Each structure stands twice: as structure tokens, then as C-alpha cells.
Amino acid sequence: MKILVAVKQVAALDEDFEIRADKKDVEEDFLLYDLNEWDDFSLEEAMKIKESTDTEVEVVVVSVGPDRVDESLRKCLAKGADRAIRVWDDAIEGSDSIVISRILAEVAKKEMPDMVFAGVQSSDQAFSATGISTAAYLNWPHAAVVADLQYKLGSSSAMIRRELEGGMLQEVEINCPAVLTIQLGINKPRYASLRGIKQAAAKPIEEVALSDIGLSAADVGAGSSMSRVRRMYIPAKGRAQMIEGTIAEQATKLIQIINEFKGA
Amino acid sequence: MKMLKSKADLVSKAIKKADIYCAAAVYEIANTNERNDLECLMFSKRRDALSLARWEHTPASVLQALSENVLRNSDIANVDSAILTRIEKNPNTPSLALSQHYKSEKYKKQKLSFIALVAEHQNTPLQILESIARFENDIEGLKSLSRNISANASVLTILVSRIPNIFDKNVAAHPSASANLLELIYARGNAYTRAAIIGHKNCPLCLVESAEQNGDLPLLMLRQLAKDERLSKNTLIKLSSNIDSVVRYGIACNLATPKAVLSSLSHDSSAAVRRAIASRFDLTITSIIVLMKDKDVWVRQWLARNLRVPKKLLEQLAQDKHADVRRAVARNPRCPIVVLDLLAQDESAWVRSAVAYQKKTPRRLMQLLAGDTNIDVLSGVANNHHTPQKILQKLALSAEEDIRRGVIINLNATRKTMLPLLEDSYYLHRLMLIKKPQLNQKDIWRLCDDPDFQVRFMAFRHIAHKLLVNSAQE
């Protein structure tokens, strides 16, 4: 039994930053890297399945990215993942989420997991496409925004609840193997124990080249992507007004504005 | 890791670790040569310099060095304004660095945007604030100055005298505004400004007296006036029957309000007014008896927390149908043990939790509550200094973070109880342990190799501080 968890190292920003000279991204010095928040939940969901049974379950985390991504993969290992795989080739730079999905699907074909978990979205790019596109490349069933999962090892189906608008939940039975994109709040992710962190430092991270998964440089990168970033910029500030005055005056003005909007 | 004994050993260890946060932690105890090495480690990569400039724990000495480093190694054309901006926004930035930024010729062209940051920083020296008030023309910068709580009455006077009206409202709310300045602004202010001045702690008596005599005072001002303890008895009585409940609320909070007025406000139609009465430290028995029967849960809750309520009446409140009222009784420092006995078995975990947190709760009750399964109750047990050590040792191994944190906070927890928590999976817990007096230097030293950078920083800093104190005593 194996669960493959696709994870991403995301970049966070502080309030002040600079845009790169080519205007296509933020200057790297201003980026703070960490494991995508959603992926913490999908890893925890895999760990819960692993820990709920005596049957051997292997949790494998996979990510596409350069050397620095090892730090996030080690975090997953420290939390209990059995193996970590990192796919990288300089040619991958500039790939869109669909190309990344293709890479992940090739890893999945090689690993032959019983389930693939991914986060609903990444906090930095927010395409919400990687998990679903991976399912498409694998020709597997998929479910997005999974807020609850009932799955017994070896079952041919799983019961899931998907989060919809207006606080609604949709209960779905899905055939397995499947790709599920996991929503925040489905569980309470653990902190890595100090022992886990020490052990993770000694564990190897499997570095996979494109050729190892049957792909070439021509299959990846901006050239093979269906979308390309043209520019990144901060839009002109919208209509905003600083409410000034004494506290009582600010409160009065605020009430006036609310009443105007309400048409009162 | 071997225990270190001297400052040089610690600095050398931090340099060997090649970790910018450990380097920042020992910078203050380093000598000139060591500081050069540390600066090289901390500032040579722009990414690291940006991180330290922004980080809320970066020591003032490191921010000063970074500021000087940027100004020294750049010219007017290529000054790294991103780092300087972060330094100016950092609350730890020392006054010297802020003065140097303000006076620097190197980025005079960009200075306008920096003025607001320097003007609002609480560490900016008074002479710079005064200079900004006297000579700068950037309105946003001057607005920042008028809100800076480090500005004194003299700076504020210069500002409002030089540019009247624009900053009056901010100055009217500024704690350092003097009585004279407030009087000046009051004369030209609108009702909002005047209301803020009437509510100001430095409001001159003449303004209060004049407002008191004004029969046509705007409601905004009346609401502030009602809180003033200098009001005459007659005015207090008159305002206690004002149609506006906020005015009556002000009277209910006013320490000068006569007892008879307070008794009558215990029957007020506004729950907010009655709540204010119920929370007074000088509550009379007559009011207590009235408020015991109040329909508003919050009134009874405030009453149940009040130290003036006799024990017999606390017993009655402990039978209240609302759990929040019973909880408030359990939190009352005067709650009798017999009542705590009763509340320890309450059906609501929120009430039992209050008993577990109560300092008076005896050891035997803590043993009983330790058998509870609720996290809030067990967190209280973990916090309480009457909890037996054996129970604390068990709770230190709980799977729940809140419970383990309770043990860390507990002043009675011994070193033996705390030792397993040095391996706690939650970094904040390891961080909290650094300053616990129960742990010794050797224990803290283990945290210098912690995987979390904040824990490493705090552990290094703690040891550096101890070495600094020791060398000062020698």
C-alpha cells in the first residue's frame, strides 16, 4: 500500500519587496520559502491512514524544484513520510502547472501508488490545477477541495466530503485509485518531533532526472507550457480613503459610509 | 555540544555555526574583531541582511551595525533603500541609527518617504522629532509625528503652533499633550476635537468647569464629561438621569459618583450601565442584592467576579443556571473552598476549568480534576501551582499542546518535570523554556542546536546575556 503526496515549496512575501528586472517575478532576495500550507494537511491525511492500520503503508512525498526544495521535503520526512523524491532539471524552469502535473504523473506511474494526495492550491501561485491535471494525465478519478475522507485500505472506493460554497458539503463516493486535492482544516497537522527532525536529516532524498521518468527537456519548461507569465506588477491603488479625526469622529464617519452603502 | 564558559567561546561557536541568527544573538558580547567576522556572516548576502532588518527580534546593536554598514558601503546613487526602510520600520532600531538616517546626505533625495517612518518610530530621539516638527513640510510625515507617543509636549506645541488645525485632532488624543496646548486647541476645535480634549487626562479644570456650566453641550462632549472625576456632586446627580445611556454609563464608571446615585443606577434600563455598576470595586451591599436578580447574564457575571460580593452570596451565584456566571464565581479570588468543591463537579467543563485555574483550589481537588478528560480543565490543572508534581510529570507528556504549555507556565514545576519538554515538538514551547529559572545553563545549552532558528537565537542570546552579567559582576 502506498500513498503519494505531491508537495510544493512556496514563496511568501513581506509587505515590502522588489519586482525582478525582467518584471516576471519578485526579486528572490525578498522571498521566504516554506512548505505550502495545504500540503501540510494532505501529508497529515496520508499519515493518518498510515497510522490507522497494522498493514504496511508507505507515504512518499514528491516535489518538483531545485536544491532548496530539499528543506521542505525534509520537513515532510520529519513528520513521518517514508521517502522523499525531488525531480529537477534546469529545463523545468518556467514550466506551468500543467507541465508540473505531467512530471508528477510520470513519477506516479513509476511509483504506482494506491492514492495520490495534493493540496487544493499553492499559496504563492494559486492555480489550483496541479492535482487535477495530474489525475488527467493518469486518467484517474479525482475530487477537489476534499474536507473529509473515509477510506479503508484496499477498498475500491472512498467516501469523501467536498467543500462547496455557502457552507455546503457534497458527499461523494469515488473509485480508487484516485487523486484528491485536500482542503485546509481537514485535520490538525502535527509538528515534527525533534527526533523526527534528526532522523530526517540523515534520510536520503531521491533525486530524479527527467530521463528517469521518460521525459526530456523538450517536454518541459516555458516552451512546452500552455501558459506563460508575461509580467508581474502591483496594480494602481483603488478607491481608498483614510478615515481621520478623533476616535468618535472616525466612528461617526464609518457609520455614515456604512449607511450610504446600505442606502439608509 | 560541549558547555562553554567564556564570551569568546560562545562567539566562536556562533561563528562556526555560520547561522545569522546565532551570530545576531552574540553580537553584543563580541569584541571588535569578532564583530567584523559576525558582520561578514550576517550582512554579506543581501537576502540575510533583509531578513535581519525586518525580524522583530533582531537586537538593536545588530540593526545599528547593519544601518552603518549600508550607509558606509553605498553612495547616493545605489543606497539600498529596501534594507534601510526595513530598519526604520523595525521597533528595535536604536535612536542613533534613526538619527543617522535622518541626517544622512546619502539618500537625501529619497528622504521624503523616510521622514514618515523616522517621525513615527518610538525610538527616534526628541531632538530629531523636534527638528521634524520645526523644519519638515511633508504632511504625512508630520501626521506620523503627531501620533508618535514618544513626542513630548514641547514637540507637539511646536507642531501645532507652526501649522495650525491640521494636526489638532491627533494632538487632542496624544497622551503627552499639555493642559495649555489642549486649551489652545479647544478654543479653535469642533465638537469632536473638544470631546477628545474633555476626555483627555490632562484636560484643564477650567474647560471641565466651563463644559459643566454649558446647558447646551453637544452629546459627544457630554459623554466624555460624565467620566470626569472632577465633576460636582450636583452635575453627577443630574447626568445620572440623562436620557442618553452612554452618558449614564460614564456616570456609572465615574469613581466620584455618590453611592446613592450608584444605587439608583443599579435599576437602570440599560444593561451596559448595570454591568458597569456590577464591576465597581466599591459596590454597596444594596446594589449587590439588586443586581443578584438581574436578568442580564453579563451583569451577574461581573457581580460573580467582584471582590465585594459576600461569600454567602457567591454561594448563591454558584447555583446560577448560566455556566458563565458559575465560571465567574470559580474565578473570583474570594471564592470559598466549599463552593470550589461544588463547582469542581459542575456539568460544564468551562466551569470546571475555572476551578482548575483558581489559585485557591486545594491539592485534593487538583487530584480530582486531573482525572478529567477535557483539555481546558487539564490545561488549568497543568497551570495550577497546587497540582502534585507526579501529575505535572504525566501532563508534560500529554498529546495536547495546551496542556503541555500549562506545565511550562507552572512556577511549581520542577526541573525534572520540565526536562522532557526540551524535546517538545512545538517550537514555541522550547522557546518558552529558555527563560525558566527551574532549568540550568546546561539544559538551555541543548537548545543552541535546536532545528528552529528562533529557539537557537533565544538560547544563544540567553547564554550571552548570562555571560555579560557574570563578567560585569567579576
Side-chain angles (χ1 to χ4, degrees):
Chain A
M1 171 78 192
K2 188 188 284 185
I3 302 171
L4 187 68
V5 184
V7 301
K8 182 185 177 189
Q9 187 181 56
V10 292
L13 283 178
D14 277 321
E15 58 180 48
D16 48 351
F17 54 86
E18 291 170 1
I19 303 276
R20 228 164 53 188
D22 67 4
K23 306 232 182 275
K24 290 189 176 176
D25 208 340
V26 171
E27 188 65 54
E28 184 153 12
D29 283 342
F30 290 85
L31 298 174
L32 306 165
Y33 294 110
D34 202 357
L35 183 65
N36 182 35
E37 192 182 0
W38 276 265
D39 301 344
D40 251 336
F41 290 86
S42 38
L43 174 63
E44 182 65 32
E45 205 56 25
M47 291 307 300
K48 273 172 63 187
I49 295 169
K50 178 183 167 77
E51 288 165 357
S52 67
T53 174
D54 292 333
T55 313
E56 195 172 322
V57 179
E58 190 180 33
V59 173
V60 182
V61 286
V62 57
S63 191
V64 180
D67 293 354
R68 62 172 158 74
V69 174
D70 282 357
E71 194 187 334
S72 294
L73 288 171
R74 290 211 186 280
K75 196 172 172 183
C76 299
L77 289 170
K79 289 184 177 199
D82 298 288
R83 285 168 48 219
I85 299 169
R86 181 170 64 82
V87 187
W88 188 243
D89 186 299
D90 288 345
I92 295 173
E93 188 74 52
S95 297
D96 68 0
S97 56
I98 309 297
V99 169
I100 299 294
S101 307
R102 186 173 175 197
I103 296 169
L104 292 172
E106 294 305 330
V107 173
K109 282 177 194 167
K110 204 176 164 200
E111 289 289 325
M112 293 193 294
D114 297 86
M115 286 288 230
V116 174
F117 293 168
V120 167
Q121 64 176 79
S122 62
S123 57
D124 56 353
Q125 300 289 336
F127 282 118
S128 306
T130 310
I132 302 308
S133 310
T134 304
Y137 277 114
L138 290 169
N139 200 22
W140 282 13
H142 70 260
V145 204
V146 174
D148 184 53
L149 168 64
Q150 303 298 325
Y151 172 62
K152 276 191 184 159
L153 281 172
S155 295
S156 58
S157 68
M159 194 66 86
I160 56 166
R161 290 195 180 90
R162 297 181 56 240
E163 196 177 289
L164 303 181
E165 280 191 40
M168 285 237 295
L169 287 177
Q170 182 187 59
E171 203 166 278
V172 177
E173 187 183 351
I174 190 166
N175 292 345
C176 298
V179 178
L180 307 180
T181 65
I182 307 291
Q183 174 64 315
L184 300 176
I186 189 174
N187 52 44
K188 189 181 170 192
R190 69 196 64 192
Y191 286 96
S193 67
L194 288 189
R195 212 176 92 199
I197 293 169
K198 278 173 200 158
Q199 285 172 346
K203 278 189 190 174
I205 288 173
E206 297 164 42
E207 291 180 21
V208 169
L210 287 173
S211 57
D212 296 331
I213 48 174
L215 295 174
S216 71
D219 299 318
V220 298
S224 297
S225 294
M226 294 181 193
S227 63
R228 284 155 294 279
V229 176
R230 289 181 60 189
R231 69 173 172 134
M232 198 180 269
Y233 65 103
I234 301 164
K237 281 181 185 164
R239 204 158 55 97
Q241 185 195 348
M242 188 65 90
I243 301 174
E244 296 196 337
T246 65
I247 292 169
E249 199 166 7
Q250 287 177 35
T252 308
K253 282 183 189 168
L254 198 57
I255 292 166
Q256 259 173 18
I257 292 168
I258 292 168
N259 282 339
E260 273 171 32
F261 272 98
K262 280 170 66 185
Chain B
M1 195 188 264
K2 203 180 137 195
M3 219 11 221
L4 301 175
K5 288 188 177 146
S6 76
K7 288 193 278 183
D9 281 347
L10 189 69
V11 173
S12 151
K13 201 78 202 172
I15 292 170
K16 270 187 200 151
K17 280 185 87 72
D19 174 340
I20 59 165
Y21 298 100
C22 295
V26 300
Y27 187 79
E28 212 166 325
I29 61 164
N31 64 31
T32 311
N33 287 338
E34 290 165 340
R35 283 190 172 201
N36 288 339
D37 291 344
L38 291 168
E39 285 177 28
C40 188
L41 174 61
M42 291 187 290
F43 308 149
S44 53
K45 285 186 195 154
R46 187 178 185 230
R47 182 184 183 77
D48 292 339
L50 279 163
S51 295
L52 286 169
R54 180 194 60 87
W55 196 40
E56 69 268 31
H57 298 297
T58 303
S61 55
V62 174
L63 290 167
Q64 179 66 44
L66 177 56
S67 169
E68 286 172 10
N69 189 291
V70 172
L71 291 175
R72 190 172 54 240
N73 297 323
S74 60
D75 51 40
I76 297 169
N78 68 8
V79 66
D80 197 330
S81 58
I83 295 179
L84 293 180
T85 304
R86 286 185 173 198
I87 290 174
E88 285 171 5
K89 284 183 180 175
N90 195 315
N92 291 340
T93 299
S95 55
L96 179 60
L98 293 161
S99 303
Q100 288 166 342
H101 285 203
Y102 181 68
K103 291 173 188 166
S104 172
E105 292 296 319
K106 281 200 173 170
Y107 56 91
K108 203 134 204 173
K109 282 182 188 168
Q110 304 173 40
K111 209 168 135 188
L112 210 58
S113 60
F114 287 114
I115 288 172
L117 293 174
V118 174
E120 77 182 14
H121 202 290
Q122 291 181 22
N123 293 343
T124 301
L126 274 174
Q127 68 203 58
I128 298 292
L129 294 179
E130 196 176 311
S131 172
I132 292 172
R134 210 179 282 283
F135 304 113
E136 298 296 345
N137 294 313
D138 173 48
I139 295 295
E140 287 311 309
L142 294 172
K143 268 186 193 165
S144 300
L145 174 67
S146 67
R147 286 189 292 258
N148 187 336
I149 57 161
S150 297
N152 64 8
S154 158
V155 169
L156 297 172
T157 306
I158 293 168
L159 182 66
V160 295
S161 309
R162 188 177 142 229
I163 308 172
N165 299 316
I166 297 179
F167 312 109
D168 284 7
K169 288 178 173 36
N170 287 346
V171 174
H174 197 291
S176 297
S178 65
N180 287 345
L181 187 54
L182 291 172
E183 203 173 341
L184 172 82
I185 295 172
Y186 189 91
R188 66 188 183 211
N190 64 11
Y192 288 108
T193 309
R194 289 180 172 193
I197 291 170
I198 291 290
H200 198 286
K201 67 178 172 61
N202 296 339
C203 178
L205 183 61
C206 61
L207 295 184
V208 174
E209 284 172 348
S210 146
E212 210 175 345
Q213 281 154 25
N214 183 345
D216 202 19
L217 204 64
L219 187 59
L220 269 174
M221 293 172 68
L222 206 55
R223 286 175 173 178
Q224 295 297 330
L225 189 69
K227 294 183 220 162
D228 200 297
E229 291 172 28
R230 295 168 293 182
L231 289 181
S232 68
K233 192 178 168 186
N234 281 345
T235 306
L236 289 164
I237 293 168
K238 192 176 150 200
L239 292 181
S240 72
S241 56
N242 191 285
I243 193 165
D244 183 71
S245 66
V246 182
V247 173
R248 301 199 305 279
Y249 173 83
I251 298 295
C253 295
N254 196 319
L255 292 179
T257 303
K259 291 216 169 7
V261 174
L262 294 176
S263 290
S264 108
L265 287 175
S266 306
H267 299 276
D268 197 277
S269 58
S270 158
V273 173
R274 302 196 307 277
R275 287 174 196 170
I277 300 288
S279 64
R280 285 184 70 106
F281 71 90
D282 56 353
L283 198 58
T284 61
I285 191 72
T286 322
S287 294
I288 292 171
I289 289 165
V290 172
L291 296 170
M292 286 279 293
K293 294 168 199 150
D294 203 289
K295 281 181 188 167
D296 183 74
V297 178
W298 277 94
V299 170
R300 302 201 304 280
Q301 220 174 303
W302 277 112
L303 201 61
R305 288 284 303 274
N306 199 310
L307 295 171
R308 298 278 291 188
V309 177
K311 290 180 181 174
K312 278 281 170 203
L313 296 183
L314 279 178
E315 281 179 34
Q316 279 183 40
L317 286 165
Q319 309 279 351
D320 198 285
K321 62 180 176 181
H322 279 275
D324 285 333
V325 178
R326 302 197 301 275
R327 178 179 164 83
V329 174
R331 292 180 70 191
N332 191 316
R334 293 188 69 238
C335 182
I337 302 291
V338 62
V339 175
L340 289 173
D341 267 323
L342 177 80
L343 295 174
Q345 312 214 28
D346 198 281
E347 60 178 19
S348 161
W350 198 224
V351 177
R352 299 197 304 278
S353 151
V355 178
Y357 276 100
Q358 163 69 264
K359 284 182 184 167
K360 279 173 73 174
T361 302
R363 190 183 164 95
R364 66 176 168 79
L365 270 187
M366 297 318 298
Q367 280 167 326
L368 172 82
L369 291 164
D372 210 294
T373 52
N374 181 275
I375 294 173
D376 294 322
V377 177
L378 291 175
S379 300
V381 174
N383 264 277
N384 201 299
H385 66 290
H386 282 153
T387 302
Q389 212 58 226
K390 285 222 161 172
I391 292 175
L392 289 180
Q393 280 162 8
K394 194 177 147 201
L395 295 175
L397 305 174
S398 166
E400 292 295 334
E401 286 160 19
D402 292 345
I403 297 173
R404 300 198 306 272
R405 186 155 53 250
V407 177
I408 295 172
I409 292 166
N410 194 317
L411 293 174
N412 209 30
T414 62
R415 174 174 176 264
K416 191 182 164 194
T417 301
M418 286 197 171
L419 281 177
L421 292 161
L422 286 167
E423 299 279 322
D424 199 288
S425 57
Y426 187 29
Y427 80 96
L428 195 60
H429 287 175
R430 303 195 300 274
L431 204 64
M432 289 169 77
L433 286 168
I434 291 170
K435 289 194 174 168
K436 300 309 287 186
Q438 296 97 316
L439 295 177
N440 62 35
Q441 199 90 319
K442 202 173 163 189
D443 302 327
I444 306 304
W445 185 244
R446 284 167 59 184
L447 296 174
C448 288
D449 275 335
D450 198 274
D452 185 274
F453 74 94
Q454 296 173 91
V455 177
R456 286 196 304 272
F457 168 80
M458 287 298 183
F460 264 95
R461 194 154 161 77
H462 179 80
I463 295 170
H465 179 71
K466 290 270 177 199
L467 290 171
L468 204 62
V469 171
N470 289 349
S471 66
Q473 285 168 350
E474 278 165 12

